[in-house]
């Protein structure tokens, strides 16, 4: 079901009920871009990967959110599904509200258009949103404005402004219309556009004549005015309604967080970062605070991309994009789950709509249920109750460029061996051929450019590592300006995160693959103090890039399914 600003408030109560009763929730997002130059590479630590995403991806706009809600029938074991796709656009409600600037990536916009994304609907009907920080600042600004107005009224002079002769007919005509409302002959009248000074004179005449009359509202609107019978909201109540409208879609994410349901995504790190940054709280600069924050806000997370790295799964799949996985689970030895979708609220598998956030969220849930049964063949209904195999993947986030590790939100992150990896510094005129020639005695290599003068070198033959250390590290025979250090030694000596520039190397055999798919508070603050207070899909990489990635997979013994460069970070 599509949800826009026109029907959001109407369907929101139903969404809350569905979340409350859900067995699990699947999410997906579409964005206006992928990254702003902070490219993650295969040998970044999880902390470095997070910091690069935080620095390079959060300036893009979250424009579509898919929420697919799966609820299992206790009697039949079948799953019921309702899926919502939200168009999101953070328009300011007034001059005090945030007026957001955001980045666009041309390849992302082009890809969205090619997949029939409706930008007219986005900009006209997108639901507004604010995170908690922006909500608090807006509330403070509106409170200051109320105080200022109250003081103005209190301190205003009682002296009447003389009405210039040229404006007297206009004032008289306006008052005649107002008289019609006061006398009950009209329920509402409109006064033609006029200058701010004339409107002030009309207000003055109204106050003089009807200051003791209740139940009449006179307000400015669109350069003109209107008068009607009624009782005007107190300023505080009016501001509270405006703030609630500005918070908008954020209520959905706050509801998901408050209920603590299992949240499932496919390659979902960027989705989670954007969910928090845009709708909850600003992402922290400290990596450990980030892990604590995510686990507090979403205590149960499963990333299906990580499940695809399981030995029993990866040997039966050709790739782990959503499209490839759907093709795979439709055939033995997998089983396609039986899902009952409500008409108007779900998708039909035959009506393919990849890169629509709602459809991708639905497919993620379908894949998840099939993977559960593949991991536990006796669990024929893919029930989550007492599902031990899923515990292995709980609260871990897949890293697109470093599939031999992950972000573990609860425990220390895995530390894979990097014995076969070396850091090389070299003169600016060097290219890939120079580096490969230097390492040629030790077999084939894969390069990851960090800058014009630095790179990572990964050996295919790991058992050659000790020979590299002996021959090249601290060697006086190296060409001038060239140094080679083991990964461990480089990290130990430098002791700082690496921030490589965009991968725009113009020489030789570079790895051109793109990056794959968003105030420290106490846990109680982050989860309960809410109301009382892929990336966007980009085109698949070139075939030549796939060859480079395949070489790295072979060298690192990384399963191909874990290194897929797929569309919506999936």
């Amino acid at each position: 079901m599509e949800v826009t600003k026109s029907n959001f408030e109407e369907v929101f109560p139903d969404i809350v009920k569905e979340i409350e009763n859900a067995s699990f929730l699947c999410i997906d997002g579409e964005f206006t871009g992928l990254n702003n130059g902070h490219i993650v590479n295969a040998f970044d630590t999880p902390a470095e990967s997070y910091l690069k995403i935080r620095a390079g991806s959060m300036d893009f706009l979250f424009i579509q959110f898919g929420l697919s809600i799966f609820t299992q029938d206790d009697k039949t074991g079948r799953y019921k599904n309702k899926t919502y796709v939200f168009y999101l656009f953070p328009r300011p409600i007034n001059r005090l509200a945030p007026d957001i600037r955001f980045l666009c990536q041309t390849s992302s916009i082009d890809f969205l258009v090619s997949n029939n994304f409706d930008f007219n609907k986005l900009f006209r009907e997108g639901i507004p949103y604010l995170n908690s920080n922006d909500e608090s600042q807006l509330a403070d600004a509106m409170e200051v404005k109320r105080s200022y107005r109250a003081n103005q009224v209190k301190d205003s002079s009682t002296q009447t402004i003389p009405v210039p002769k040229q404006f007297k007919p206009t004032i008289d005509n306006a008052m005649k219309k107002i008289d019609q409302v006061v006398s009950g002959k009209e329920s509402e009248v409109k006064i033609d556009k006029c200058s701010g000074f004339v409107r002030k004179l009309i207000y003055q005449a109204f106050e003089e004549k009807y200051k003791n009359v209740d139940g009449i509202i006179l307000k400015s609107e669109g350069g003109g005015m209107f008068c009607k019978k009624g009782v005007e909201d107190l300023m505080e109540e009016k501001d509270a309604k405006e703030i609630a409208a500005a918070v908008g879609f954020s209520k959905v994410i706050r509801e998901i967080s408050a209920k603590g349901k299992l949240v499932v995504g496919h390659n979902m790190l960027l989705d989670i970062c954007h969910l928090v940054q845009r709708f909850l709280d600003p992402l922290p600069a400290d990596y450990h605070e980030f892990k604590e924050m995510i686990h507090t806000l979403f205590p149960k997370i499963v990333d299906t991309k990580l499940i695809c790295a399981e030995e029993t799964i990866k040997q039966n799949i050709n790739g782990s994009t959503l499209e490839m996985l759907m093709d795979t689970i439709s055939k033995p030895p997998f089983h396609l789950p039986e899902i009952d979708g409500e008409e108007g609220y779900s998708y039909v598998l035959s009506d393919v709509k990849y890169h629509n956030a709602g459809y991708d969220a639905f497919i993620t849930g379908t894949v998840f249920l099939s993977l559960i049964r593949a991991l536990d063949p006796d669990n024929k209904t893919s029930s989550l109750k007492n599902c031990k195999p899923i515990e292995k993947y709980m609260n871990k986030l897949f890293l697109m460029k470093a599939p031999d590790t992950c972000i573990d939100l609860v425990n220390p992150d895995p530390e894979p061996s990097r014995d076969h990896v070396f850091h090389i510094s070299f003169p600016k005129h060097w290219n890939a051929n120079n580096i490969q020639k230097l390492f040629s005695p030790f077999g084939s290599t894969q390069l990851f450019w960090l800058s014009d003068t630095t790179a990572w070198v990964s050996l295919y033959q790991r058992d050659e590592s000790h020979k590299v250390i002996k021959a090249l590290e601290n060697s006086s025979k190296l060409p001038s300006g060239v140094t080679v250090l083991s990964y461990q030694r480089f990290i130990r000596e430098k002791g700082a995160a690496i921030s490589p520039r965009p991968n725009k190397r113009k020489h030789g055999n570079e790895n051109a693959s793109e990056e794959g798919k968003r105030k420290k508070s106490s846990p109680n603050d982050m989860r309960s103090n809410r109301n009382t207070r892929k990336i966007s899909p980009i085109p698949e990489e070139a075939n030549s890039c796939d060859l480079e990635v395949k070489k790295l997979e072979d060298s690192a013994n990384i399963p191909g399914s874990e290194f897929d460069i797929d569309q919506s970070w999936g």
Side-chain angles (χ1 to χ4, degrees):
M1 179 182 186
E2 285 191 347
V3 185
T4 65
K5 69 175 184 178
S6 300
N7 65 344
F8 174 70
E9 292 299 335
E10 178 185 350
V11 303
F12 178 69
D14 293 334
I15 295 172
V16 172
K17 291 179 183 178
E18 294 295 334
I19 292 174
E20 175 69 35
N21 297 323
S23 300
F24 66 95
L25 311 172
C26 288
I27 63 169
D28 187 76
E30 305 294 345
F31 313 94
T32 60
L34 174 62
N35 66 69
N36 191 24
H38 298 263
I39 307 297
V40 177
N41 71 67
F43 304 120
D44 283 335
T45 65
E48 290 168 343
S49 297
Y50 162 69
L51 292 176
K52 288 180 181 180
I53 289 174
R54 180 178 180 271
S57 298
M58 295 299 104
D59 289 329
F60 297 103
L61 201 61
F62 202 131
I63 56 176
Q64 194 182 66
F65 177 74
L67 174 64
S68 196
I69 303 173
F70 289 81
T71 307
Q72 189 171 34
D73 188 304
D74 292 334
K75 295 180 179 180
T76 65
R78 293 173 67 96
Y79 279 91
K80 298 178 181 179
N81 174 260
K82 276 191 174 182
T83 299
Y84 301 86
V85 55
F86 303 83
Y87 284 84
L88 309 175
F89 188 66
R91 61 176 52 81
I93 59 166
N94 57 36
R95 294 182 180 180
L96 299 176
D99 191 3
I100 295 176
R101 277 70 169 167
F102 63 92
L103 295 179
C104 289
Q105 201 164 353
T106 54
S107 59
S108 297
I109 301 301
D110 180 64
F111 185 81
L112 285 171
V113 170
S114 69
N115 282 276
N116 302 312
F117 189 93
D118 192 339
F119 280 96
N120 283 325
K121 183 176 292 185
L122 169 68
F123 296 130
R124 289 174 180 168
E125 291 293 320
I127 309 166
Y129 56 82
L130 292 176
N131 65 23
S132 298
N133 187 57
D134 289 337
E135 179 188 355
S136 296
Q137 291 185 15
L138 176 59
D140 291 344
M142 295 177 79
E143 183 178 356
V144 169
K145 186 176 181 179
R146 287 198 304 271
S147 299
Y148 174 75
R149 284 179 173 176
N151 291 332
Q152 264 195 329
V153 173
K154 190 182 298 183
D155 298 337
S156 62
S157 172
T158 58
Q159 184 177 357
T160 302
I161 302 172
V163 179
K165 291 182 180 180
Q166 67 269 32
F167 295 136
K168 194 172 188 309
T170 303
I171 306 303
D172 291 342
N173 288 335
M175 290 305 296
K176 287 179 181 179
K177 290 184 176 182
I178 294 172
D179 291 341
Q180 297 293 309
V181 176
V182 176
S183 64
K185 295 180 180 179
E186 298 285 350
S187 60
E188 180 175 348
V189 295
K190 292 188 176 181
I191 298 169
D192 295 337
K193 287 186 177 182
C194 51
S195 68
F197 178 65
V198 171
R199 293 197 297 272
K200 186 176 181 69
L201 294 175
I202 295 173
Y203 276 121
Q204 176 180 276
F206 175 78
E207 289 295 329
E208 288 176 351
K209 189 172 183 179
Y210 297 117
K211 62 181 178 181
N212 294 322
V213 177
D214 294 327
I216 304 297
I217 298 173
L218 178 64
K219 299 200 69 173
S220 298
E221 182 181 64
M225 305 179 77
F226 71 88
C227 180
K228 67 177 183 178
K229 285 193 172 184
V231 178
E232 188 170 7
D233 291 339
L234 294 174
M235 190 60 69
E236 291 90 341
E237 294 176 356
K238 177 185 174 184
D239 287 352
K241 289 180 179 178
E242 284 195 351
I243 292 172
V247 170
F249 172 76
S250 298
K251 295 188 295 185
V252 174
I253 305 304
R254 295 176 186 183
E255 194 67 29
I256 293 173
S257 175
K259 292 297 186 289
K261 297 288 183 176
L262 172 63
V263 178
V264 180
H266 189 72
N267 203 8
M268 64 191 299
L269 174 58
L270 192 62
D271 296 306
I272 287 293
C273 286
H274 271 287
L275 286 183
V276 173
Q277 176 79 9
R278 291 293 182 185
F279 311 124
L280 299 177
D281 292 292
L283 290 170
D286 181 81
Y287 175 63
H288 296 289
E289 288 183 20
F290 162 74
K291 296 204 322 180
E292 179 184 354
M293 181 185 201
I294 299 302
H295 184 52
T296 301
L297 294 172
F298 304 104
K300 293 187 287 184
I301 288 177
V302 170
D303 192 332
T304 53
K305 191 85 168 180
L306 202 61
I307 300 178
C308 293
E310 176 64 36
E311 186 64 35
T312 57
I313 302 296
K314 67 185 179 184
Q315 64 185 3
N316 292 310
I317 61 177
N318 296 321
S320 59
T321 66
L322 287 176
E323 296 95 321
M324 290 179 173
L325 286 172
M326 273 306 302
D327 180 65
T328 298
I329 68 171
S330 301
K331 307 169 186 175
F334 295 94
H335 299 273
L336 196 63
E338 295 181 345
I339 299 170
D340 299 323
E342 185 171 333
E343 185 176 357
Y345 287 88
S346 192
Y347 292 91
V348 179
L349 292 178
S350 59
D351 185 14
V352 176
K353 294 183 179 178
Y354 286 112
H355 313 302
N356 170 289
Y359 185 79
D360 284 355
F362 172 68
I363 293 300
T364 296
T366 304
V367 168
F368 177 58
L369 292 175
S370 181
L371 292 176
I372 290 176
R373 185 168 178 182
L375 292 171
D376 184 4
D378 294 331
N379 187 358
K380 299 187 183 304
T381 62
S382 299
S383 174
L384 294 175
K385 296 179 180 179
N386 302 316
C387 185
K388 296 295 183 181
I390 293 300
E391 295 177 3
K392 178 179 179 180
Y393 310 100
M394 192 72 70
N395 299 315
K396 296 176 182 179
L397 296 171
F398 181 82
L399 288 173
M400 187 65 181
K401 289 296 186 70
D404 54 350
T405 184
C406 67
I407 292 178
D408 192 323
L409 298 174
V410 179
N411 303 302
D413 298 326
E415 296 183 2
S417 171
R418 298 283 191 244
D419 292 342
H420 64 300
V421 180
F422 296 86
H423 182 273
I424 181 171
S425 301
F426 44 85
K428 196 169 185 178
H429 66 270
W430 269 40
N431 59 32
N433 293 330
N434 298 107
I435 299 172
Q436 289 170 345
K437 183 177 180 180
L438 180 67
F439 280 83
S440 60
F442 315 105
S444 300
T445 59
Q446 174 66 33
L447 304 183
F448 294 85
W449 298 102
L450 300 175
S451 71
D452 285 340
T453 58
T454 59
W456 290 118
V457 180
S458 171
L459 301 182
Y460 289 111
Q461 301 176 28
R462 292 176 178 239
D463 56 1
E464 295 290 308
S465 301
H466 69 285
K467 296 180 181 179
V468 175
I469 294 175
K470 183 177 180 180
L472 301 182
E473 212 175 39
N474 299 325
S475 174
S476 59
K477 298 180 180 180
L478 288 175
S480 176
V482 176
T483 59
V484 176
L485 297 175
S486 67
Y487 176 90
Q488 291 81 0
R489 181 175 173 182
F490 176 79
I491 295 299
R492 184 173 63 251
E493 291 187 3
K494 300 301 179 182
I498 302 165
S499 299
R501 294 186 288 179
N503 200 358
K504 297 180 180 179
R505 188 71 171 177
K506 61 185 178 182
H507 306 294
N509 219 1
E510 60 262 27
N511 173 29
S513 60
E514 279 287 342
E515 164 71 18
K517 292 217 347 202
R518 50 186 172 75
K519 162 173 136 177
K520 184 176 181 182
S521 305
S522 69
N524 289 335
D525 289 339
M526 285 190 282
R527 293 201 53 198
S528 62
N529 194 24
R530 288 272 171 249
N531 297 324
T532 59
R533 157 119 144 106
K534 234 154 159 246
I535 188 172
S536 190
I538 64 168
E540 295 281 7
E541 298 300 326
N543 291 334
S544 59
C545 169
D546 295 337
L547 179 59
E548 294 300 320
V549 174
K550 184 62 173 65
K551 291 180 180 178
L552 175 61
E553 295 162 4
D554 294 340
S555 68
N557 293 322
I558 297 170
S561 61
E562 300 176 347
F563 241 94
D564 292 325
I565 303 172
D566 57 352
Q567 209 33 260
S568 55
W569 277 71

